[in-house]
Amino acid sequence: MLGAVTAPAHPTDPLPRRIAHLDMDAFFASVELLRYPQLKGLPVVIGGGRRREDDVLARLREAYPERDWSDGDLSRIPLEFFPRLSGYTGRGVITTATYPARQFGVGSAMGLMKAAKLCPQAILLPVDFDEVRRISRLFKSTILEIAPVMEDRGVDEVYIDFTHVPGGQREGGRVLARLIQKSIFQATGITCSIGVAPNKLIAKMASEFNKPNGISIVWPDDLQEKIWPLPCRKVNGVGPKADEKLQGYGIHTIGELAARDPGWLIETFGKSYGAWLHAVSWGRDDRPVVTESEPVSMSRETTFERDLHAVRDRAELGAVFTRLCEQVADDLQRKGYAGKTIGIKLRYDNFQSVTRDVTIDHFTADAATIRRQAGLCLKRVDLTRRIRLLGVRVGKLVKPGTEGEQASGYSESHSTRTARDKASDEHTDLLFPELD
DNA sequence: TCTGGGGTCCTAGGACCC
DNA sequence: TCTGGGGTCCTAGGACCC
């Protein structure tokens, strides 16, 4: 079943490309519903970070301290023990909302305080990242057993090249899509939606046509009927800014975009983006399904519960800063990467963001080096304003021990580095003195 | 009641080299 | 005294996506 997948079976008469986009339905919420099936059909919202009072078991223990809940049946926990959105205070946003919750107008990325006004009775649960990752791996490995050309697009989404998979052409991909959908449900207990189309662009839109637990098949001839009536915003790559600009020119649907002169689009939206807009409006996209990729950067950032001030809250800020550097270093080391561009990100109380970075002359995954360089970057920004977010990033990554390493100059003598780091230390001021 | 955290890619100016 | 292009790297910001 697995096997040759790269070359068309008949180069002179290639099979039509059939590309699938699959995404798991309300994934983070569905993961919680596996544990708490009694929440099925109720408005449930996932997000907000882990707070003690969110812990369902903690509430139970408090109510029945005499009982042992350690391996109790979670599905029997009564609803009154689940925390509600009502009364939420904090800066969290919704990661996922169940379909019943969406009927109240709440959805991904919405602030939880706003969601609490729209649907105060909704149950609020924090994300269980470990469980989400476990089920993510499970559904992806299930797909790979059936269709080996898969592109990872995050925890809950993938593209799959059906073209050369046995049965991938039957009914335009519907038969294979059904098999995958069924296999994923058997393996995980969670439903997904699949769109199959001639390319990634259309497949992505198609997977939304029939949610949840749906399949939709789109053919090249369906462009006018199924794609052109859609708002431009449905195109993956048209965000709020581009959409607003398009609307300003009276372009609301993909069909209206397709009707515009490509030359005018290029003049108005730039050579690259304008040409791309024209292509996508005509359903054209020849991007391959990419099965392997290397990370470009790794970062850690955090939004404070209240805005902090560099002087008044310097101890707290300094501790957070150091922790972020340690976390990035740990991520790099754990995954086997080192980088040579080190940077920071700040978000001020007015939500304006600034970044600063430096490129050093060697690759590093060392927390102290990252901390030192990031500290120098911090000195280059305005620290008189209140800060709501602080982040640390390492870019220009290499994987030590791979071939790219030598050409990229990963190797460097220990003595050289030590001497330079000492010199650098002398220039580091004592912004966050707890480090010294 | 403002708006998480982890990413990628693009643009644009300036430095620097040939 | 005035004046080239091309290429690459670095940095900052911003759009966009999951």
Side-chain angles (χ1 to χ4, degrees), chain A residues 269-435:
Chain A
F269 290 92
K271 195 176 166 179
S272 162
Y273 197 68
W276 176 80
L277 280 175
H278 177 70
V280 298
S281 71
W282 285 87
R284 292 197 277 267
D285 171 28
D286 55 11
R287 291 171 300 162
V289 171
V290 177
T291 55
E292 309 271 353
S293 68
E294 285 294 324
V296 172
S297 69
M298 291 187 195
S299 65
R300 287 289 187 133
E301 65 184 50
T302 188
T303 296
F304 310 120
E305 284 183 29
R306 60 180 179 90
D307 298 338
L308 299 183
H309 190 276
V311 176
R312 288 193 287 283
D313 304 301
R314 70 195 251 169
E316 192 176 349
L317 214 40
V320 169
F321 191 42
T322 301
R323 185 166 49 79
L324 291 170
C325 294
E326 288 166 351
Q327 286 174 331
V328 177
D330 187 64
D331 294 341
L332 288 164
Q333 289 165 26
R334 214 161 11 84
K335 295 171 183 166
Y337 290 90
K340 67 188 303 197
T341 298
I342 294 155
I344 56 144
K345 171 172 152 186
L346 256 71
R347 181 123 72 205
Y348 294 112
D349 53 0
N350 66 356
F351 220 68
Q352 187 210 346
S353 300
V354 293
T355 62
R356 293 292 180 269
D357 58 55
V358 247
T359 300
I360 58 175
D361 61 7
H362 64 284
F363 290 88
T364 187
D366 172 57
T369 305
I370 294 167
R371 174 62 176 77
R372 189 161 44 242
Q373 297 298 333
L376 293 171
C377 289
L378 205 50
K379 287 168 63 181
R380 290 155 47 198
V381 301
D382 182 6
L383 290 175
T384 62
R385 300 161 64 185
R386 288 181 168 280
I387 301 162
R388 68 175 282 140
L389 172 146
L390 182 60
V392 175
R393 195 182 85 97
V394 176
K396 292 213 171 47
L397 303 183
V398 288
K399 200 159 197 166
T402 62
E403 260 191 53
E405 161 202 332
Q406 290 223 329
S408 321
Y410 178 75
S411 310
E412 191 194 19
S413 78
H414 177 71
S415 56
T416 315
R417 195 171 341 183
T418 307
R420 188 188 30 254
D421 285 355
K422 274 188 185 144
S424 162
D425 273 344
E426 291 167 20
H427 296 285
T428 309
D429 77 355
L430 304 178
L431 188 63
F432 301 126
E434 85 293 339
L435 290 161

Side-chain angles (χ1 to χ4, degrees), chain A residues 231-234 237-253 269 273:
Chain A
C232 299
R233 196 56 235 277
K234 293 288 178 189
V238 175
K241 299 288 181 181
D243 190 46
E244 201 189 329
K245 188 168 170 185
L246 286 164
Q247 305 243 18
Y249 289 107
I251 303 168
H252 306 98
T253 67
F269 290 92
Y273 197 68

Side-chain angles (χ1 to χ4, degrees), chain A residues 150-178:
Chain A
M150 182 187 84
E151 176 176 335
D152 212 312
R153 296 300 300 180
V155 277
D156 65 343
E157 270 191 51
V158 296
Y159 288 105
I160 312 160
D161 195 335
F162 276 16
T163 311
H164 301 110
V165 178
Q169 298 281 346
R170 288 176 61 196
E171 296 177 35
R174 187 181 298 276
V175 174
L176 185 57
R178 254 196 310 255

Side-chain angles (χ1 to χ4, degrees), chain A residues 54-373:
Chain A
D54 284 341
D55 193 321
V56 178
L57 278 176
R59 291 172 158 227
L60 264 179
R61 290 194 194 98
E62 198 180 318
Y64 302 100
E66 73 285 1
R67 282 179 61 176
D68 173 22
W69 293 98
S70 54
D71 54 349
D73 181 359
L74 300 182
S75 71
R76 297 165 65 109
I77 297 174
L79 290 179
E80 59 263 32
F81 288 97
F82 289 85
R84 306 286 162 152
L85 209 40
S86 164
Y88 177 91
T89 55
R91 290 179 153 171
V93 298
I94 296 178
T95 302
T96 312
T98 58
Y99 290 91
R102 293 180 201 192
Q103 295 190 324
F104 291 87
V106 308
S108 293
M110 180 182 286
L112 284 171
M113 304 258 293
K114 181 176 175 184
K117 300 232 157 169
L118 293 168
C119 187
Q121 74 276 27
I123 286 158
L124 171 65
L125 295 172
V127 181
D128 182 342
F129 285 105
D130 290 339
E131 188 62 1
V132 161
R133 268 192 296 268
R134 188 181 73 80
I135 296 187
S136 180
R137 280 193 296 266
L138 190 54
F139 95 77
K140 286 169 191 169
S141 64
T142 302
I143 293 168
L144 284 172
E145 281 177 27
I146 298 167
V149 182
M150 182 187 84
E151 176 176 335
D152 212 312
R153 296 300 300 180
V155 277
D156 65 343
E157 270 191 51
V158 296
Y159 288 105
I160 312 160
D161 195 335
F162 276 16
T163 311
H164 301 110
V165 178
Q169 298 281 346
R170 288 176 61 196
E171 296 177 35
R174 187 181 298 276
V175 174
L176 185 57
R178 254 196 310 255
L179 172 67
I180 288 175
Q181 209 177 38
K182 200 176 130 199
S183 303
I184 289 176
F185 187 78
Q186 280 171 354
T188 67
I190 296 177
T191 63
C192 62
S193 297
I194 302 176
V196 195
N199 57 48
K200 296 203 308 194
L201 172 83
I202 309 292
K204 169 83 178 166
M205 293 190 263
S207 68
E208 268 193 63
F209 289 173
N210 231 343
K211 269 173 169 293
N213 199 21
I215 291 172
S216 58
I217 307 298
V218 177
W219 300 96
D221 285 350
D222 293 331
L223 181 72
Q224 204 169 334
E225 193 189 325
K226 293 187 176 171
I227 304 299
W228 279 1
L230 300 175
C232 299
R233 196 56 235 277
K234 293 288 178 189
V235 174
N236 190 248
V238 175
K241 299 288 181 181
D243 190 46
E244 201 189 329
K245 188 168 170 185
L246 286 164
Q247 305 243 18
Y249 289 107
I251 303 168
H252 306 98
T253 67
I254 300 172
E256 286 164 358
L257 186 57
R260 292 298 175 117
D261 172 49
W264 178 82
L265 285 171
I266 287 169
E267 276 169 40
T268 313
F269 290 92
K271 195 176 166 179
S272 162
Y273 197 68
W276 176 80
L277 280 175
H278 177 70
V280 298
S281 71
W282 285 87
R284 292 197 277 267
D285 171 28
D286 55 11
R287 291 171 300 162
V289 171
V290 177
T291 55
E292 309 271 353
S293 68
E294 285 294 324
V296 172
S297 69
M298 291 187 195
S299 65
R300 287 289 187 133
E301 65 184 50
T302 188
T303 296
F304 310 120
E305 284 183 29
R306 60 180 179 90
D307 298 338
L308 299 183
H309 190 276
V311 176
R312 288 193 287 283
D313 304 301
R314 70 195 251 169
E316 192 176 349
L317 214 40
V320 169
F321 191 42
T322 301
R323 185 166 49 79
L324 291 170
C325 294
E326 288 166 351
Q327 286 174 331
V328 177
D330 187 64
D331 294 341
L332 288 164
Q333 289 165 26
R334 214 161 11 84
K335 295 171 183 166
Y337 290 90
K340 67 188 303 197
T341 298
I342 294 155
I344 56 144
K345 171 172 152 186
L346 256 71
R347 181 123 72 205
Y348 294 112
D349 53 0
N350 66 356
F351 220 68
Q352 187 210 346
S353 300
V354 293
T355 62
R356 293 292 180 269
D357 58 55
V358 247
T359 300
I360 58 175
D361 61 7
H362 64 284
F363 290 88
T364 187
D366 172 57
T369 305
I370 294 167
R371 174 62 176 77
R372 189 161 44 242
Q373 297 298 333

